[in-house]
Amino acid sequence: MKDRLTSGGRLAGKGANVGNSRLDGNAGRNKSAQHFAGSDDGGSVGDASAAATVGLSRRDFLSGAAALVGSTAAATALASMAPGAAFAEAPGVIGDWAADGSKNVGVPESAATNGSAGDGSFRDHNAAAFPANDATPILPRAVPTTWDYECEICVVGGGGGGLNAAARSAELGADTICVEAMGLHGGNAQCAGMCAILGGSKLQESKRFAFPEYPFDARKLSDWAMDEYHYAADPHLIYRIAESGGICIDWMADCGVQWRLGEVPVYVAPKNSTLDHHVQKMKDATDAMFAFGQRHGVDYHFQSPAEALVVDDDGRVVGVVCREDYEREVYIHATRGVILTAGGFCNNKALLDKYIPTAAMGCASSYLTGGETGECFRMGLGAGADVSGFNSSASFDGGVDWQAEGGQWARFLYDGMTQLSRQPWFTVDRCGNRLRYMDSRVKEDGADAIYALGDLATIQMTPPGHRSYIIFDAHYEDHLAGFAQEHCRKLITPDLEQIDKVPEHYRDWHHGVQDALDADVLKKRDTLEELERDLGFQPGVLQAAVDTWNETCARGEDDFMYPMEPEWLHAIKDPPFYGCRIGGNLYGTKAGLLINDEMQVVSTKGTVVPGLYAGWHTAGGACGENSYIGDPILGSLLGDVSLAFCGGYLCGTFAVQNELGSEVAK
């Protein structure tokens, strides 16, 4: 049995200022400057007319995107989804976001999309549900005759990793431009609920906390992690993560982020964030890093998605092509280096199928509603980069299978149906076998509660057919208070603190559940026989499983291998009956560009790609290969947002150190 972390450090069994760097002159570059091969748009970005036609047919997806940055940014979020999306379906198909908003298409019966194909392979997802479906490399452009902007370091991405990379580069003296596809800074990082770290920060030192033992020792931590990863990772890179997590957190504090320790010392959060919910909990941190970058002269270009890298005749990356304001193509000259840190590819079906088949099989949804379409990864591939972290990802439990019923793949994490699906309901696989539940309540060992968020995802991703089924009856609302789940499983209600951070539609979990009922994603039937049929079970399978469950509830004691708490034993007897198909809820791709421990992108020839750096989650390798949830702690040695923060900090540090020759104090 692998060792696990306990709360005491023990081991237990298992406006932005666009244009400041503008050069004199207009678009006088060589019009024939194109990719070395292929189309002149990188296979990534449509023209302005395509951006103008997205219209209301994106409403379902953009409700999540608006939630990402707050309701005031809905307009910019709308525009940001157009560039870079590789639409695979004909107009009128769900997910193509045609101007007429058509949804009048044929969706297979639920039973026909139940789990796996007839040959036992995994059931293919509905491609039309995804924002992108393209795995082809985006080839670089040639050097133009005229550049539109010039800097020393260009950072692609304005989320948690990009903000840190830009801030660190500028702090160390580099003239820095940061480009971001969306209309505001923060990206998906601002929505994270906890910044998990296993030791090394000043706050944790104050509590004498470190893992695997106190005092903190990066070598011992990395040795432990390598064993967790079955030695399928680069030990130098894992050591760099172990060594740098606390350094990054403390540096961010010096930059103006006010941290506090969480309820358990394995994570930190912004000091003024509420304990009532996790929505936009990291916004204070991303706001502080954006402000720090502004004070140090970072030139931020929003609504400017990157389309391609620019490579010179010597094979060095010397710039980036962007679509400024989603309309005009501009060339940014980065004289010393480019940093790619704009997320992974959770929302690109073709990339998931190719590089992370376990996520393609086991995940029913993604909860990252902004970006994650993989353009940075594809640009790196086009520049000759190798790949690291094959078949590794990170997921939470309770991914609702909207896409199989004709809905969208990417859903807001705090959607009421998602939150309802994460409660301790009676859960079975398609054979009628019970599946265990992992409790997220913080008890004596708070770390176990955090592990539960990922471990339950694995349980729900790996049954026959790679789907699980939750079942309950008419009295389900009466049971919710007794379930008392915590962290990001807590149901959102209007009375919570800082409820203004939650987009209006999601301030009451009932709204999301009603959406699911209206779409028949949450199936409501008068009889168990009807529910069994419409969820795709063979006759009698679900009914027999429910009969056995009801007998257990009548006894008041669960004899299952992993027994439910007695207060959670609620019989399923009274109509209407409810059922929903669930799987993993993807939040991080751990396959990405191969990097060394100085964050330099490494080519398929084994040499670095000159001038190119990548942070997580554009980079891979943070948890080795073939990892379902990226353990040891919700993604790697650092939680996902911590990893993005740390990757950006390291990219900025090493890009300036290596490319400008500065002496950088660690």
Side-chain angles (χ1 to χ4, degrees), residues 340-649:
L340 300 177
T341 177
F345 49 88
C346 288
N347 296 331
N348 187 317
K349 177 185 180 297
L351 288 175
L352 290 175
D353 286 346
K354 186 171 183 178
Y355 294 101
I356 316 180
T358 51
M361 288 188 290
C363 291
S365 62
S366 158
Y367 74 71
L368 299 182
T369 56
E372 285 290 315
T373 46
E375 283 72 37
C376 272
F377 177 63
R378 293 169 57 210
M379 286 191 286
L381 294 179
D386 207 343
V387 176
S388 179
F390 178 78
N391 204 27
S392 290
S393 60
S395 300
F396 281 158
D397 58 284
V400 177
D401 209 355
W402 287 85
Q403 59 83 30
E405 308 285 352
Q408 298 292 356
W409 161 260
R411 306 289 300 194
F412 186 47
L413 176 60
Y414 299 95
D415 174 90
M417 185 61 233
T418 300
Q419 297 305 92
L420 188 68
S421 76
R422 305 182 72 188
Q423 306 307 307
W425 304 115
F426 172 66
T427 308
V428 295
D429 64 18
R430 69 180 181 189
C431 304
N433 300 312
R434 271 188 62 189
L435 301 176
R436 73 173 297 182
Y437 186 78
M438 304 290 287
D439 194 355
S440 68
R441 293 176 296 180
V442 178
K443 299 180 181 178
E444 290 184 7
D445 187 356
D448 276 353
I450 296 174
Y451 278 122
L453 305 176
D455 287 345
L456 185 56
T458 306
I459 292 167
Q460 294 174 351
M461 291 167 68
T462 54
H466 302 279
R467 290 293 182 270
S468 307
Y469 303 82
I470 54 172
I471 310 294
F472 43 86
D473 73 2
H475 306 293
Y476 71 94
E477 285 203 53
D478 299 337
H479 311 321
L480 296 174
F483 291 158
Q485 291 302 291
E486 301 186 43
H487 300 300
C488 53
R489 289 182 186 163
K490 184 175 182 178
L491 292 162
I492 302 294
T493 54
D495 59 328
L496 298 180
E497 288 183 356
Q498 298 182 17
I499 195 64
D500 58 303
K501 287 187 173 181
V502 182
E504 187 172 359
H505 183 73
Y506 301 103
R507 293 177 187 175
D508 187 334
W509 64 270
H510 293 87
H511 295 161
V513 173
Q514 188 59 53
D515 292 342
L517 287 168
D518 292 344
D520 202 35
V521 171
L522 175 60
K523 300 187 185 303
K524 177 182 178 181
R525 301 294 187 266
D526 292 330
T527 67
L528 277 172
E529 290 86 354
E530 292 174 304
L531 186 64
E532 178 180 68
R533 178 198 65 209
D534 293 343
L535 282 173
F537 288 92
Q538 290 298 299
V541 170
L542 179 60
Q543 293 178 73
V546 170
D547 288 344
T548 302
W549 168 252
N550 288 344
E551 293 170 2
T552 297
C553 296
R555 289 196 306 271
E557 183 177 351
D558 194 358
D559 59 359
F560 181 50
M561 182 180 294
Y562 304 104
M564 284 278 211
E565 301 286 347
E567 64 268 27
W568 294 351
L569 299 177
H570 302 298
I572 301 170
K573 290 185 175 181
D574 297 325
F577 300 99
Y578 298 84
C580 183
R581 181 172 52 216
I582 61 174
N585 199 356
L586 183 64
Y587 67 82
T589 50
K590 301 301 181 179
L593 304 178
L594 176 65
I595 58 172
N596 62 21
D597 65 346
E598 294 190 353
M599 313 304 286
Q600 295 169 298
V601 174
V602 179
S603 75
T604 55
K605 297 179 180 179
T607 55
V608 299
V609 178
L612 188 60
Y613 294 75
W616 297 288
H617 293 81
T618 302
C623 61
E625 298 196 345
N626 296 302
S627 175
Y628 263 90
I629 57 169
D631 259 352
I633 182 166
L634 298 184
S636 72
L637 274 179
L638 303 173
D640 244 44
V641 72
S642 315
L643 188 65
F645 285 148
C646 184
Y649 167 79

Side-chain angles (χ1 to χ4, degrees), residues 28 86 103 110 138 153 175-176 204 219 222 234 242 275 301 305 307 344 372 390-391 439 453 490 520 522 536 561 614:
K103 290 188 177 181
S110 183
I138 297 175
I153 300 293
D175 181 14
T176 305
Q204 290 166 316
R219 176 59 186 270
S222 58
D234 175 0
L275 297 176
H301 294 226
E307 289 188 348
E372 285 290 315
F390 178 78
N391 204 27
D439 194 355
L453 305 176
K490 184 175 182 178
D520 202 35
L522 175 60
M561 182 180 294

